[in-house]
Amino acid sequence: MKELFPRRGLPNVIQKLENRETVTIVYFGGSNTRSEGYRVMTADWLRGQYPKADIRCVNAGISGTGSDLGCARLERDVLRHQPDLVFVEFVGNDGGVPESKARIEGIVRQIRKRSRFTDILFIYTLKERDVALFQSGEYQKGALMQEEVADYYGIPSIHLGVAVSHLVSEGKLIFTSGADKSIPGAIVFTHDSIHPTIPEGHQIYTDTITRSFEKMSELQGHLGRVEHNLPQAHLVPANPWEYATMLPLDGHAHLSAGWSYVTPDDSALAREYDWLFSGLWRAVDPGEAITVQFEGTHIGLFDIGGPDSGRLKVTVDGGDPFLVDRFTPHNDHNRNQYVFLPELPNGKHTVRFEVDTEKTDKAAVFEVCGNERSIEHVRQHPDWYDQTVIQLGKLLLVQPPLV
């Protein structure tokens, strides 16, 4: 199995590095990108290879997020930095859902519309459940979908799982083992089956990336500045995701009187997440609501969930209400999260989100997952869980032109 598909390569960023210019690299993805792993290690390697270039790196990784949120946050987290190179790492969190191909294309088209000279690199991480596929000669489903996008737009891609699966087959790597265990003669790759250890696991990812970068540099020749293509036709027909955006609630939503706006100056939680949101809109009582009128295909919320999270009763265009629970199996602690409602026909819509009166049986949510630690947390802190709090950071919209 090949680990590198160079396609049109990285001509512009490599030329700027070789010319000792200022280069901005944005690392865009989930938790494997946010961590101090391959992102930091590849940046260090590049600085060693090109000591005269001024290499500036941006951490645009957000744990637990996929390419759908990626489309919406691209302007704030990527494009405003005017990158020369964008690493795109969403295979793990997208989980192979069919919509992933459209969303990845949406990311590519947004970048290309801003600059035809920005290089893009897809990297595909590996979970333990993917190893058997690699050993049988198959890439994971999500990577295959992104490869269609990569082929269509000439984007290089690196399958980080190839080297990992080889090491597993050779008995030189244990994919998952407890943090308190060491295996003589073998690298422990993860402690949780998903996130590589630092530095050992991420070093394997880094070596694959740097090896591929060297190959692309050799293939490069002296092409000069290359203008990347942006086909008029989408790969995914009627794809709306290049029109995704992330907006503040104030000015774009009507909030009932019981909502309060908390900032890092007056809230410890807002301080903890000030890297994501300038403040949070907070409601604690059932019946409080926000109403949004918009034109488009998708609406979503980017919020903070935790033990106190409630659920929302949602109505779209006056239809029957349905529930969107903002308490998840991961909410034994505060964490950033988001949700998109199902796709709507492109047009004008009115959506109302109301804090629901009924409470989720949160202990039961943890019991379904068999999470004893979280179940015990509910027993220890019942008051934390006996609440209906909603804390919103941003509004997410997908707004393609009306035909």
Side-chain angles (χ1 to χ4, degrees), residues 67 88 90 94 100-108 122 146 149:
S67 58
V88 177
F90 286 115
D94 277 5
S100 177
K101 181 163 68 173
R103 296 163 182 169
I104 292 294
E105 183 182 31
I107 288 170
V108 171
F122 289 172
Q146 280 198 220
V149 179

Side-chain angles (χ1 to χ4, degrees), residues 124-192:
Y124 309 134
T125 57
L126 190 74
K127 297 181 179 181
E128 186 166 26
R129 70 186 186 202
D130 303 323
V131 173
L133 277 175
F134 271 78
Q135 291 178 321
S136 66
E138 290 183 55
Y139 302 111
Q140 66 267 61
K141 184 179 177 182
L144 292 173
M145 284 191 289
Q146 280 198 220
E147 284 293 89
E148 293 182 54
V149 179
D151 275 334
Y152 193 69
Y153 291 94
I155 295 167
S157 59
I158 303 173
H159 292 260
L160 301 179
V162 175
V164 174
S165 62
H166 283 325
L167 290 170
V168 171
S169 298
E170 294 165 5
K172 297 177 182 177
L173 183 145
I174 305 299
F175 202 96
T176 303
S177 182
D180 56 342
K181 297 178 182 177
S182 61
I183 314 293
I187 296 167
V188 173
F189 188 62
T190 79
H191 298 314
D192 63 1

Side-chain angles (χ1 to χ4, degrees), residues 31-271:
S31 53
N32 282 322
T33 293
R34 180 157 185 80
S35 73
E36 303 289 306
Y38 88 88
R39 172 178 57 81
V40 173
M41 294 174 177
T42 56
D44 287 345
W45 180 85
L46 286 167
R47 291 187 177 108
Q49 294 292 112
Y50 303 97
K52 298 295 178 66
D54 179 11
I55 300 174
R56 303 175 182 183
C57 296
V58 176
N59 182 359
I62 302 180
S63 301
T65 67
S67 58
D68 47 1
L69 181 67
C71 288
R73 67 184 181 91
L74 195 71
E75 173 63 41
R76 183 193 72 176
D77 295 348
V78 178
L79 299 181
R80 70 181 178 90
H81 298 289
Q82 299 179 297
D84 298 289
L85 170 63
V86 181
F87 281 75
V88 177
E89 177 266 312
F90 286 115
V91 157
N93 286 340
D94 277 5
V97 298
E99 297 82 4
S100 177
K101 181 163 68 173
R103 296 163 182 169
I104 292 294
E105 183 182 31
I107 288 170
V108 171
R109 292 187 71 88
Q110 284 189 61
I111 295 171
R112 291 273 167 92
K113 282 196 297 186
R114 180 62 61 88
S115 169
R116 299 286 187 91
F117 299 98
T118 297
D119 293 337
I120 304 170
L121 174 63
F122 289 172
I123 62 168
Y124 309 134
T125 57
L126 190 74
K127 297 181 179 181
E128 186 166 26
R129 70 186 186 202
D130 303 323
V131 173
L133 277 175
F134 271 78
Q135 291 178 321
S136 66
E138 290 183 55
Y139 302 111
Q140 66 267 61
K141 184 179 177 182
L144 292 173
M145 284 191 289
Q146 280 198 220
E147 284 293 89
E148 293 182 54
V149 179
D151 275 334
Y152 193 69
Y153 291 94
I155 295 167
S157 59
I158 303 173
H159 292 260
L160 301 179
V162 175
V164 174
S165 62
H166 283 325
L167 290 170
V168 171
S169 298
E170 294 165 5
K172 297 177 182 177
L173 183 145
I174 305 299
F175 202 96
T176 303
S177 182
D180 56 342
K181 297 178 182 177
S182 61
I183 314 293
I187 296 167
V188 173
F189 188 62
T190 79
H191 298 314
D192 63 1
S193 81
I194 298 171
H195 301 99
T197 52
I198 298 174
E200 297 86 358
H202 269 279
Q203 189 63 57
I204 298 169
Y205 278 178
T206 300
D207 291 345
T208 303
I209 293 168
T210 56
R211 182 165 59 241
S212 299
F213 202 96
E214 288 178 328
K215 289 176 182 175
M216 283 187 277
S217 297
E218 292 165 6
L219 292 169
Q220 187 66 40
H222 296 281
L223 298 175
R225 203 166 184 231
V226 172
E227 184 172 0
H228 294 297
N229 64 314
L230 179 62
Q232 186 173 358
H234 291 71
L235 173 65
V236 178
N239 185 358
W241 284 95
E242 71 182 90
Y243 303 101
T245 187
M246 186 166 69
L247 300 170
L249 273 78
D250 45 312
H252 297 94
H254 178 267
L255 293 92
S256 61
W259 291 86
S260 60
Y261 187 68
V262 296
T263 69
D265 292 333
D266 49 39
S267 163
L269 184 67
R271 278 195 297 279

